[in-house]
Amino acid sequence: MLLCIDCGNTNTVFSVWDGERFLVTLRTRTDHQRTADQYFVWLSTLLEHHHIALDITGVAIASSVPRVVWNLRVFSDRYFGLRPLVVGKPDCALPVPPRVDPGTAVGPDRLANAAGAFARHGGDCMVVDFGTATNIDVVAEDGAYVGGVIAPGVNLSLEALHMGAAALPHVDVTQPERVIGTNTVACIQSGIFWGYVGLVKELTQKVREEYGRPMKVIGTGGLAPLFAQGEPLFDTIEDDLTLYGLTVIHRFNAEGS
């Protein structure tokens, strides 16, 4: 079984792939001080709870936090005797190399999104990924990542608003009943919800116009279903797209070896 690890700035997600589906997906806070031993205790305990054997034959990692990768490498080697495949490293081949400006380092999660989107939906698409940042990843006809957009993430914007304006509380993201709020919380919720609906709607339209071809829009990340309630923003929503992209990249490297 393949252990896929998607390490973001806020959370790190572990998921076990049996070759056809993900058996379980587990989430923990990203912490560069967490040791290999701590990862193993946490993971093995939860897998036992879910009655899943710790029969790991491969490890694939996409990490937006370089400081975390070392301990994940040690974790993979010490407890599974495996050298992990780390997306973005020279020894990790991609099905189609990205086409971006020379010297540009593309986020591993964005490369995984491109691979997963192309495998499931073909090319000429864009992925809207709601994470610590709100990213749009553009995937060309042949599956190459060819650029995109980075905007502040929803929760990051909420935190900045709370920290920068002492009188404003921290609120949960939800779809408000009305656009015009009649109290502070409702006003913030309306601004965040409808503001991000507008941001995604406008950016995806601008990307389509510049790309010059019909494009499928794929939403991913935990908040994608919420924002899809406000407007028909996406053609489809894939909650495991980054993880699935890791399985695609791992299979490509295994078949090429």
Side-chain angles (χ1 to χ4, degrees), residues 173-213:
V173 183
T174 188
Q175 181 177 2
E177 294 183 3
R178 304 176 61 209
V179 176
I180 303 172
T182 54
N183 57 69
T184 302
V185 169
C187 288
I188 296 172
Q189 288 175 333
S190 180
I192 289 294
F193 181 84
W194 291 111
Y196 271 86
V197 167
L199 179 145
V200 171
K201 188 175 181 180
E202 183 69 13
L203 283 177
T204 53
Q205 179 59 32
K206 291 293 186 184
V207 169
R208 280 194 184 97
E209 291 172 1
E210 189 170 292
Y211 191 74
R213 300 177 60 156

Short mmCIF file of all heavy atoms in Angstrom, two decimals, residues 173-213:
data_model
loop_
_atom_site.label_atom_id
_atom_site.label_comp_id
_atom_site.label_asym_id
_atom_site.label_seq_id
_atom_site.Cartn_x
_atom_site.Cartn_y
_atom_site.Cartn_z
N VAL A 173 -16.25 30.55 8.99
CA VAL A 173 -16.66 30.78 7.60
C VAL A 173 -17.97 30.04 7.36
O VAL A 173 -18.07 28.83 7.60
CB VAL A 173 -15.59 30.26 6.62
CG1 VAL A 173 -16.00 30.58 5.19
CG2 VAL A 173 -14.23 30.84 6.94
N THR A 174 -18.96 30.75 6.90
CA THR A 174 -20.24 30.13 6.58
C THR A 174 -20.97 31.01 5.58
O THR A 174 -20.62 32.19 5.39
CB THR A 174 -21.10 29.95 7.84
OG1 THR A 174 -22.27 29.17 7.53
CG2 THR A 174 -21.54 31.29 8.42
N GLN A 175 -21.97 30.46 4.93
CA GLN A 175 -22.77 31.26 4.00
C GLN A 175 -23.82 32.03 4.80
O GLN A 175 -24.67 31.42 5.47
CB GLN A 175 -23.46 30.39 2.96
CG GLN A 175 -24.29 31.22 1.97
CD GLN A 175 -24.93 30.37 0.89
OE1 GLN A 175 -24.78 29.16 0.89
NE2 GLN A 175 -25.64 31.01 -0.03
N PRO A 176 -23.78 33.36 4.78
CA PRO A 176 -24.77 34.13 5.55
C PRO A 176 -26.14 34.09 4.89
O PRO A 176 -26.26 33.85 3.69
CB PRO A 176 -24.19 35.55 5.53
CG PRO A 176 -23.40 35.60 4.25
CD PRO A 176 -22.83 34.21 4.05
N GLU A 177 -27.17 34.34 5.69
CA GLU A 177 -28.52 34.34 5.15
C GLU A 177 -28.76 35.52 4.21
O GLU A 177 -29.52 35.43 3.26
CB GLU A 177 -29.54 34.36 6.30
CG GLU A 177 -29.52 33.09 7.15
CD GLU A 177 -30.57 33.12 8.23
OE1 GLU A 177 -31.35 34.12 8.28
OE2 GLU A 177 -30.63 32.18 9.03
N ARG A 178 -28.10 36.64 4.54
CA ARG A 178 -28.28 37.85 3.72
C ARG A 178 -26.91 38.45 3.42
O ARG A 178 -25.96 38.24 4.16
CB ARG A 178 -29.14 38.88 4.47
CG ARG A 178 -30.49 38.36 4.91
CD ARG A 178 -31.22 39.42 5.72
NE ARG A 178 -31.47 40.63 4.93
CZ ARG A 178 -31.56 41.85 5.46
NH1 ARG A 178 -31.39 42.03 6.75
NH2 ARG A 178 -31.81 42.89 4.68
N VAL A 179 -26.84 39.19 2.33
CA VAL A 179 -25.60 39.88 2.00
C VAL A 179 -25.37 41.05 2.96
O VAL A 179 -24.24 41.27 3.43
CB VAL A 179 -25.63 40.40 0.55
CG1 VAL A 179 -24.37 41.21 0.23
CG2 VAL A 179 -25.75 39.23 -0.43
N ILE A 180 -26.42 41.78 3.27
CA ILE A 180 -26.30 42.92 4.18
C ILE A 180 -26.39 42.42 5.62
O ILE A 180 -27.46 42.01 6.09
CB ILE A 180 -27.41 43.96 3.92
CG1 ILE A 180 -27.35 44.44 2.46
CG2 ILE A 180 -27.28 45.14 4.88
CD1 ILE A 180 -28.51 45.33 2.07
N GLY A 181 -25.26 42.42 6.30
CA GLY A 181 -25.25 41.97 7.69
C GLY A 181 -25.82 43.02 8.62
O GLY A 181 -25.64 44.23 8.41
N THR A 182 -26.49 42.56 9.66
CA THR A 182 -27.07 43.49 10.64
C THR A 182 -26.37 43.42 11.99
O THR A 182 -26.84 43.98 12.98
CB THR A 182 -28.58 43.20 10.81
OG1 THR A 182 -28.75 41.81 11.14
CG2 THR A 182 -29.34 43.52 9.54
N ASN A 183 -25.24 42.70 12.02
CA ASN A 183 -24.38 42.70 13.21
C ASN A 183 -22.96 42.44 12.71
O ASN A 183 -22.74 42.09 11.54
CB ASN A 183 -24.82 41.65 14.25
CG ASN A 183 -24.86 40.26 13.67
OD1 ASN A 183 -23.82 39.67 13.35
ND2 ASN A 183 -26.06 39.71 13.48
N THR A 184 -21.98 42.63 13.58
CA THR A 184 -20.58 42.56 13.16
C THR A 184 -20.21 41.20 12.59
O THR A 184 -19.56 41.10 11.54
CB THR A 184 -19.66 42.90 14.35
OG1 THR A 184 -19.99 44.20 14.83
CG2 THR A 184 -18.19 42.87 13.93
N VAL A 185 -20.63 40.13 13.26
CA VAL A 185 -20.29 38.79 12.79
C VAL A 185 -20.89 38.53 11.41
O VAL A 185 -20.21 38.03 10.50
CB VAL A 185 -20.78 37.72 13.80
CG1 VAL A 185 -20.66 36.31 13.19
CG2 VAL A 185 -19.96 37.80 15.08
N ALA A 186 -22.15 38.90 11.23
CA ALA A 186 -22.81 38.68 9.94
C ALA A 186 -22.15 39.51 8.84
O ALA A 186 -22.02 39.06 7.70
CB ALA A 186 -24.29 39.03 10.04
N CYS A 187 -21.69 40.71 9.17
CA CYS A 187 -21.01 41.55 8.18
C CYS A 187 -19.70 40.92 7.72
O CYS A 187 -19.38 40.91 6.53
CB CYS A 187 -20.73 42.93 8.77
SG CYS A 187 -22.18 43.98 9.00
N ILE A 188 -18.93 40.39 8.68
CA ILE A 188 -17.67 39.74 8.34
C ILE A 188 -17.92 38.48 7.52
O ILE A 188 -17.25 38.23 6.51
CB ILE A 188 -16.86 39.40 9.61
CG1 ILE A 188 -16.46 40.68 10.34
CG2 ILE A 188 -15.62 38.59 9.27
CD1 ILE A 188 -15.83 40.44 11.69
N GLN A 189 -18.88 37.67 7.95
CA GLN A 189 -19.19 36.44 7.21
C GLN A 189 -19.62 36.75 5.78
O GLN A 189 -19.23 36.05 4.84
CB GLN A 189 -20.28 35.66 7.95
CG GLN A 189 -19.79 35.02 9.23
CD GLN A 189 -20.90 34.35 10.02
OE1 GLN A 189 -22.07 34.75 9.92
NE2 GLN A 189 -20.55 33.35 10.81
N SER A 190 -20.40 37.80 5.59
CA SER A 190 -20.82 38.17 4.25
C SER A 190 -19.64 38.63 3.41
O SER A 190 -19.49 38.24 2.25
CB SER A 190 -21.87 39.29 4.32
OG SER A 190 -22.29 39.65 3.03
N GLY A 191 -18.78 39.44 4.01
CA GLY A 191 -17.62 39.93 3.28
C GLY A 191 -16.69 38.82 2.85
O GLY A 191 -16.19 38.80 1.71
N ILE A 192 -16.44 37.87 3.75
CA ILE A 192 -15.56 36.76 3.43
C ILE A 192 -16.21 35.82 2.42
O ILE A 192 -15.61 35.47 1.39
CB ILE A 192 -15.16 35.99 4.70
CG1 ILE A 192 -14.22 36.83 5.56
CG2 ILE A 192 -14.51 34.65 4.36
CD1 ILE A 192 -12.86 37.10 4.94
N PHE A 193 -17.44 35.40 2.70
CA PHE A 193 -18.08 34.42 1.82
C PHE A 193 -18.29 34.99 0.42
O PHE A 193 -17.80 34.42 -0.57
CB PHE A 193 -19.42 33.97 2.40
CG PHE A 193 -20.11 32.94 1.56
CD1 PHE A 193 -19.79 31.59 1.68
CD2 PHE A 193 -21.07 33.30 0.61
CE1 PHE A 193 -20.41 30.63 0.88
CE2 PHE A 193 -21.68 32.34 -0.19
CZ PHE A 193 -21.34 31.01 -0.05
N TRP A 194 -19.00 36.10 0.31
CA TRP A 194 -19.30 36.62 -1.02
C TRP A 194 -18.07 37.24 -1.66
O TRP A 194 -17.94 37.25 -2.89
CB TRP A 194 -20.46 37.62 -0.95
CG TRP A 194 -21.74 36.93 -0.63
CD1 TRP A 194 -22.46 37.03 0.52
CD2 TRP A 194 -22.44 36.01 -1.46
NE1 TRP A 194 -23.57 36.22 0.47
CE2 TRP A 194 -23.59 35.58 -0.74
CE3 TRP A 194 -22.22 35.50 -2.74
CZ2 TRP A 194 -24.50 34.68 -1.27
CZ3 TRP A 194 -23.13 34.59 -3.26
CH2 TRP A 194 -24.25 34.19 -2.54
N GLY A 195 -17.14 37.73 -0.84
CA GLY A 195 -15.89 38.25 -1.39
C GLY A 195 -15.09 37.16 -2.09
O GLY A 195 -14.56 37.37 -3.19
N TYR A 196 -15.02 35.97 -1.47
CA TYR A 196 -14.25 34.89 -2.09
C TYR A 196 -15.01 34.24 -3.25
O TYR A 196 -14.40 33.77 -4.20
CB TYR A 196 -13.83 33.85 -1.04
CG TYR A 196 -12.50 34.20 -0.44
CD1 TYR A 196 -12.41 35.07 0.64
CD2 TYR A 196 -11.31 33.73 -0.99
CE1 TYR A 196 -11.19 35.44 1.17
CE2 TYR A 196 -10.08 34.10 -0.48
CZ TYR A 196 -10.03 34.95 0.60
OH TYR A 196 -8.81 35.32 1.11
N VAL A 197 -16.33 34.22 -3.16
CA VAL A 197 -17.11 33.77 -4.33
C VAL A 197 -16.79 34.68 -5.52
O VAL A 197 -16.53 34.21 -6.63
CB VAL A 197 -18.62 33.79 -4.02
CG1 VAL A 197 -19.44 33.64 -5.31
CG2 VAL A 197 -18.98 32.66 -3.05
N GLY A 198 -16.79 35.99 -5.28
CA GLY A 198 -16.48 36.94 -6.35
C GLY A 198 -15.05 36.79 -6.84
O GLY A 198 -14.79 36.85 -8.05
N LEU A 199 -14.11 36.57 -5.90
CA LEU A 199 -12.72 36.42 -6.29
C LEU A 199 -12.54 35.21 -7.21
O LEU A 199 -11.90 35.30 -8.26
CB LEU A 199 -11.86 36.26 -5.02
CG LEU A 199 -10.35 36.06 -5.21
CD1 LEU A 199 -9.58 36.75 -4.09
CD2 LEU A 199 -9.99 34.57 -5.21
N VAL A 200 -13.10 34.07 -6.80
CA VAL A 200 -12.96 32.86 -7.61
C VAL A 200 -13.67 33.00 -8.95
O VAL A 200 -13.13 32.64 -10.00
CB VAL A 200 -13.49 31.63 -6.84
CG1 VAL A 200 -13.55 30.41 -7.74
CG2 VAL A 200 -12.64 31.35 -5.61
N LYS A 201 -14.85 33.57 -8.92
CA LYS A 201 -15.63 33.73 -10.15
C LYS A 201 -14.89 34.62 -11.14
O LYS A 201 -14.79 34.29 -12.34
CB LYS A 201 -17.00 34.33 -9.80
CG LYS A 201 -17.98 34.37 -10.96
CD LYS A 201 -19.33 34.86 -10.46
CE LYS A 201 -20.36 34.90 -11.59
NZ LYS A 201 -21.68 35.38 -11.09
N GLU A 202 -14.35 35.73 -10.67
CA GLU A 202 -13.66 36.67 -11.56
C GLU A 202 -12.34 36.11 -12.06
O GLU A 202 -12.01 36.22 -13.25
CB GLU A 202 -13.44 37.99 -10.84
CG GLU A 202 -12.80 39.08 -11.68
CD GLU A 202 -13.71 39.60 -12.79
OE1 GLU A 202 -14.93 39.29 -12.76
OE2 GLU A 202 -13.22 40.30 -13.69
N LEU A 203 -11.57 35.50 -11.16
CA LEU A 203 -10.27 34.97 -11.57
C LEU A 203 -10.40 33.82 -12.56
O LEU A 203 -9.65 33.75 -13.54
CB LEU A 203 -9.48 34.51 -10.34
CG LEU A 203 -8.83 35.62 -9.50
CD1 LEU A 203 -8.14 35.02 -8.29
CD2 LEU A 203 -7.81 36.41 -10.33
N THR A 204 -11.34 32.92 -12.31
CA THR A 204 -11.49 31.80 -13.25
C THR A 204 -11.95 32.31 -14.62
O THR A 204 -11.54 31.77 -15.65
CB THR A 204 -12.48 30.75 -12.72
OG1 THR A 204 -13.73 31.37 -12.36
CG2 THR A 204 -11.92 30.04 -11.50
N GLN A 205 -12.77 33.34 -14.63
CA GLN A 205 -13.20 33.92 -15.91
C GLN A 205 -12.02 34.57 -16.62
O GLN A 205 -11.84 34.40 -17.84
CB GLN A 205 -14.31 34.94 -15.69
CG GLN A 205 -14.80 35.62 -16.95
CD GLN A 205 -15.37 34.64 -17.97
OE1 GLN A 205 -15.93 33.61 -17.61
NE2 GLN A 205 -15.20 34.95 -19.25
N LYS A 206 -11.17 35.30 -15.87
CA LYS A 206 -9.99 35.93 -16.47
C LYS A 206 -9.02 34.88 -17.02
O LYS A 206 -8.41 35.07 -18.08
CB LYS A 206 -9.29 36.81 -15.44
CG LYS A 206 -10.06 38.05 -15.03
CD LYS A 206 -10.17 39.05 -16.18
CE LYS A 206 -10.82 40.34 -15.72
NZ LYS A 206 -11.02 41.28 -16.85
N VAL A 207 -8.86 33.79 -16.28
CA VAL A 207 -7.97 32.71 -16.74
C VAL A 207 -8.51 32.13 -18.04
O VAL A 207 -7.76 31.89 -19.00
CB VAL A 207 -7.83 31.62 -15.66
CG1 VAL A 207 -7.15 30.37 -16.23
CG2 VAL A 207 -7.03 32.15 -14.47
N ARG A 208 -9.82 31.88 -18.09
CA ARG A 208 -10.43 31.35 -19.33
C ARG A 208 -10.16 32.27 -20.51
O ARG A 208 -9.80 31.83 -21.60
CB ARG A 208 -11.94 31.19 -19.13
CG ARG A 208 -12.39 29.95 -18.39
CD ARG A 208 -13.88 29.78 -18.60
NE ARG A 208 -14.42 28.67 -17.86
CZ ARG A 208 -15.02 28.79 -16.68
NH1 ARG A 208 -15.15 29.99 -16.12
NH2 ARG A 208 -15.50 27.73 -16.06
N GLU A 209 -10.38 33.57 -20.30
CA GLU A 209 -10.21 34.54 -21.38
C GLU A 209 -8.77 34.55 -21.88
O GLU A 209 -8.51 34.60 -23.08
CB GLU A 209 -10.62 35.93 -20.90
CG GLU A 209 -12.11 36.08 -20.64
CD GLU A 209 -12.46 37.41 -19.98
OE1 GLU A 209 -11.52 38.21 -19.75
OE2 GLU A 209 -13.65 37.64 -19.68
N GLU A 210 -7.81 34.52 -20.96
CA GLU A 210 -6.41 34.57 -21.35
C GLU A 210 -5.95 33.26 -21.97
O GLU A 210 -5.15 33.25 -22.91
CB GLU A 210 -5.55 34.91 -20.14
CG GLU A 210 -4.10 35.20 -20.48
CD GLU A 210 -3.35 35.77 -19.30
OE1 GLU A 210 -3.67 36.92 -18.91
OE2 GLU A 210 -2.47 35.08 -18.76
N TYR A 211 -6.47 32.14 -21.46
CA TYR A 211 -6.08 30.83 -21.98
C TYR A 211 -6.59 30.63 -23.40
O TYR A 211 -5.94 30.00 -24.23
CB TYR A 211 -6.60 29.74 -21.03
CG TYR A 211 -6.05 28.37 -21.30
CD1 TYR A 211 -4.74 28.04 -20.95
CD2 TYR A 211 -6.84 27.38 -21.87
CE1 TYR A 211 -4.23 26.77 -21.18
CE2 TYR A 211 -6.35 26.11 -22.11
CZ TYR A 211 -5.04 25.81 -21.76
OH TYR A 211 -4.54 24.54 -21.99
N GLY A 212 -7.78 31.12 -23.64
CA GLY A 212 -8.29 31.12 -25.01
C GLY A 212 -8.93 29.83 -25.47
O GLY A 212 -9.17 29.66 -26.68
N ARG A 213 -9.19 28.91 -24.53
CA ARG A 213 -9.85 27.64 -24.88
C ARG A 213 -10.83 27.29 -23.79
O ARG A 213 -10.69 27.73 -22.65
CB ARG A 213 -8.81 26.53 -25.02
CG ARG A 213 -7.77 26.77 -26.08
CD ARG A 213 -6.73 25.69 -26.12
NE ARG A 213 -7.30 24.36 -26.39
CZ ARG A 213 -6.61 23.36 -26.92
NH1 ARG A 213 -5.34 23.53 -27.24
NH2 ARG A 213 -7.18 22.19 -27.15
#
